[in-house]
């Protein structure tokens, strides 16, 4: 592959006037920490299932996901109060939403407060709120409850993105970028919050695909502050959001299928999902890089902040794009430590990206200034942003 055109990209690590930048990151988690090695026994005990074949299958899945730890809202206290959640076939959507609506707000408030603290400016300076979740459903939406929990001004402009799935974090970032660049002086709080309780079910031979979710997904929240023209006195830009695009793949609507039912959300992930992403990711990256006006590319001279949908997706991307193993290290670390946390995951990946870039700087190695922020979700939808790492 050719090298990136230095004249096109530039070399100064400062934000361009009018371009949106990420100014701070924050995260939060529920109190229940699940060690993957103990998950199988705990899950089958909780659901009172003694099917050895299903147990063996989940044991294999837990090993292949590469996940080590996750945080979950589900607890013994919740199951004592709502034992019907662990029973097959009951109408429990009301109970689930009662739990989820409160839990995601609590986590979103905590992550947002952490982000605002890292930002270092007053909460009164937040002008817009973008809220993302696939784990709740109510009117008014979680954006209003988050604004109330934080004490945001009633003048705050709100955008709500529901049921966007794993691409939600980058979709929200794209929306926040547009808001920041079209409203000079604005400061946008992007918050994401997810819990798997909305889809928690006992194991069933009729739904073997449920076990993938049990082995892979985790709960938590993430937050970012986005704005253009950072104040050099009191703001430190982390990433410039240069160019953002979204594409969906025709006739792939059933590949990631989620339905809200009386038993909560039913998810189906088709086996061919990793192959579909592998077959289409390079063309999408070429389109994104071309849209940014970059004439040449060398993927290994760029950083890669990729939503960790699962090890198969990361492995296939790495192979198709001929990436060096370290390029997807932040994504693999996020997957190992938090599981696939849906829309939140990109926040965790970006945090690890910053951590690793600091190590590179301290070792006086060449830094990867330009890169891609990517996620894949229902549709199948590709979300991508060309970004510049300014925190190096």
């Amino acid at each position: 592959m050719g090298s990136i055109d230095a004249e096109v990209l530039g070399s100064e690590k400062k934000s361009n006037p009018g371009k949106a930048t990420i100014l701070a990151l924050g995260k939060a988690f529920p109190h229940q920490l699940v060690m993957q090695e103990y998950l199988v026994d705990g899950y089958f005990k909780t659901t009172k299932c003694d099917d050895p074949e299903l147990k063996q299958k989940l044991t294999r899945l837990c090993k292949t996901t590469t996940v080590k730890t996750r945080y979950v809202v589900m607890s013994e206290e919740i199951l004592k109060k709502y034992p019907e959640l662990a029973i097959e076939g009951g109408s429990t959507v009301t109970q689930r939403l009662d739990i989820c609506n409160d839990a995601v707000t609590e986590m979103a408030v905590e992550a947002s407060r952490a982000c605002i603290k890292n930002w270092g400016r007053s909460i009164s300076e937040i002008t817009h709120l973008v809220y993302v979740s696939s784990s709740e459903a109510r009117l008014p939406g979680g954006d209003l409850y988050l604004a109330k929990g934080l004490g945001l001004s009633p003048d705050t402009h709100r955008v709500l993105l529901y049921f966007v799935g794993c691409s939600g974090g980058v979709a929200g970032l794209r929306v926040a970028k547009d808001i920041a660049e079209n409203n000079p002086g604005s400061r946008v709080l992007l918050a994401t919050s997810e819990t798997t309780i909305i889809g928690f079910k006992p194991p069933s031979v009729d739904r073997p695909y449920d076990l993938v979710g049990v082995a892979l997904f985790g709960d938590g929240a993430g937050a970012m502050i986005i704005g253009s023209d950072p104040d050099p006195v009191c703001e430190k830009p982390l990433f410039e959001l240069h160019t953002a695009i979204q594409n969906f793949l025709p006739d792939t609507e059933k590949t990631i299928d989620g339905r809200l039912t009386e038993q909560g959300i039913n998810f189906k992930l088709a086996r061919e999902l990793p192959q579909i992403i592998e077959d289409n990711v390079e063309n999408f990256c070429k389109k994104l890089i071309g849209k940014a006006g970059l004439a040449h590319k060398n993927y290994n001279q760029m950083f890669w902040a990729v939503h960790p949908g699962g090890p198969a997706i990361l492995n296939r991307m790495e192979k198709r794009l001929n990436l060096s193993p370290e390029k997807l290290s932040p994504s693999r670390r996020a997957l190992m430590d938090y599981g696939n946390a849906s829309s939140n995951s990109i926040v965790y990946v970006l945090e690890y990206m910053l951590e690793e870039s600091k190590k590179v700087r301290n070792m006086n190695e060449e830094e990867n200034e330009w890169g891609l922020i990517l996620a894949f979700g229902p549709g199948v939808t590709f979300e991508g942003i060309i970004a510049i790492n300014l925190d190096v």
Side-chain angles (χ1 to χ4, degrees):
M1 295 180 182
S3 61
I4 301 173
D5 191 327
E7 292 184 4
V8 173
L9 298 182
S11 58
E12 293 188 12
K13 293 163 186 172
K14 61 182 180 180
S15 57
N16 292 303
K19 280 290 186 182
T21 57
I22 298 175
L23 300 170
L25 301 170
K27 63 180 184 292
F29 301 97
H31 300 301
Q32 306 295 323
L33 174 64
V34 175
M35 307 293 292
Q36 193 81 333
E37 58 187 304
Y38 302 121
L39 180 141
V40 177
D41 288 339
Y43 175 63
F44 276 80
K45 179 181 178 182
T46 296
T47 57
K48 297 180 173 59
C49 177
D50 58 359
D51 188 312
E53 187 174 337
L54 287 175
K55 191 171 185 179
Q56 187 178 37
K57 181 173 183 178
L58 181 58
T59 300
R60 291 196 303 269
L61 285 169
C62 283
K63 292 178 180 179
T64 59
T65 60
T66 71
V67 177
K68 299 296 183 184
T69 55
R70 283 175 293 171
Y71 294 86
V72 296
V73 171
M74 180 60 80
S75 64
E76 291 184 5
E77 289 75 18
I78 289 175
L79 283 174
K80 285 180 182 179
K81 185 176 181 180
Y82 302 100
E84 60 271 29
L85 297 182
I87 299 174
E88 181 69 30
S91 178
T92 55
V93 67
T94 299
Q95 298 93 313
R96 293 172 190 275
L97 290 176
D98 283 345
I99 302 167
C100 294
N101 290 344
D102 289 341
V104 293
T105 296
E106 181 179 347
M107 292 188 293
V109 168
E110 185 179 345
S112 297
R113 285 177 176 162
C115 184
I116 293 166
K117 181 179 180 180
N118 292 333
W119 178 39
R121 297 183 67 172
S122 170
I123 194 171
S124 64
E125 296 179 79
I126 293 174
T127 59
H128 296 74
L129 171 64
V130 178
Y131 177 71
V132 182
S133 182
S134 297
S135 304
E136 61 165 291
R138 52 183 162 173
L139 293 174
D143 57 325
L144 186 66
Y145 289 99
L146 174 56
K148 180 180 179 180
L150 291 173
L152 295 181
S153 166
D155 295 330
T156 305
H157 294 194
R158 310 186 322 273
V159 176
L160 178 63
L161 298 179
Y162 266 176
F163 296 104
V164 191
C166 290
S167 58
V170 182
L173 197 54
R174 172 174 50 80
V175 172
K177 166 182 164 59
D178 287 347
I179 293 172
E181 293 179 352
N182 285 284
N183 296 271
S186 62
R187 290 297 179 264
V188 186
L189 171 62
L190 167 62
T192 66
S193 193
E194 308 285 4
T195 173
T196 51
I197 281 185
I198 193 69
F200 178 88
K201 294 178 180 65
S204 170
V205 292
D206 297 324
R207 298 188 315 276
Y209 40 79
D210 281 1
L211 296 181
V212 176
V214 174
L216 184 62
F217 287 95
D219 300 357
M224 308 187 210
I225 299 289
I226 298 96
S228 60
D229 302 317
D231 186 330
V233 176
C234 58
E235 292 181 316
K236 188 179 188 306
L238 304 176
F239 296 93
E240 178 182 304
L241 306 175
H242 188 276
T243 301
I245 65 171
Q246 179 200 71
N247 281 172
F248 70 89
L249 303 177
D251 303 319
T252 61
E253 304 91 77
K254 300 298 184 182
T255 305
I256 305 174
D257 187 69
R259 305 293 175 92
L260 187 59
T261 72
E262 291 181 349
Q263 292 79 43
I265 288 183
N266 289 337
F267 274 116
K268 293 182 181 179
L269 300 177
R271 290 179 177 272
E272 61 267 23
L273 176 61
Q275 185 65 55
I276 289 173
I277 292 176
E278 179 184 356
D279 291 344
N280 292 276
V281 68
E282 186 165 18
N283 284 338
F284 179 77
C285 291
K286 287 179 179 178
K287 183 181 293 186
L288 177 57
I289 290 171
K291 184 79 172 178
L294 310 184
H296 305 289
K297 65 181 184 300
N298 184 326
Y299 293 147
N300 283 304
Q301 290 182 354
M302 308 177 81
F303 71 78
W304 292 79
V306 180
H307 169 78
I313 291 173
L314 296 177
N315 291 343
R316 286 172 179 267
M317 273 194 61
E318 184 177 274
K319 179 181 178 181
R320 175 56 63 97
L321 301 175
N322 196 27
L323 298 177
S324 301
E326 71 275 7
K327 291 299 171 182
L328 296 181
S329 173
S331 298
R332 296 189 190 280
R333 289 179 63 190
L335 182 64
M336 180 176 67
D337 292 344
Y338 308 117
N340 179 341
S342 193
S343 63
N344 310 315
S345 290
I346 201 63
V347 176
Y348 313 152
V349 172
L350 289 172
E351 280 200 333
Y352 282 138
M353 181 70 61
L354 292 173
E355 179 186 311
E356 294 191 5
S357 70
K358 284 181 172 64
K359 291 180 180 179
V360 171
R361 179 183 60 195
N362 293 336
M363 294 170 62
N364 295 318
E365 296 179 7
E366 184 179 355
E367 296 138 354
N368 299 305
E369 182 181 0
W370 284 72
L372 295 89
I373 302 173
L374 301 175
F376 320 103
V380 170
T381 300
F382 282 53
E383 293 276 359
I385 300 176
I386 288 283
I388 309 172
N389 184 354
L390 300 172
D391 189 47
V392 290

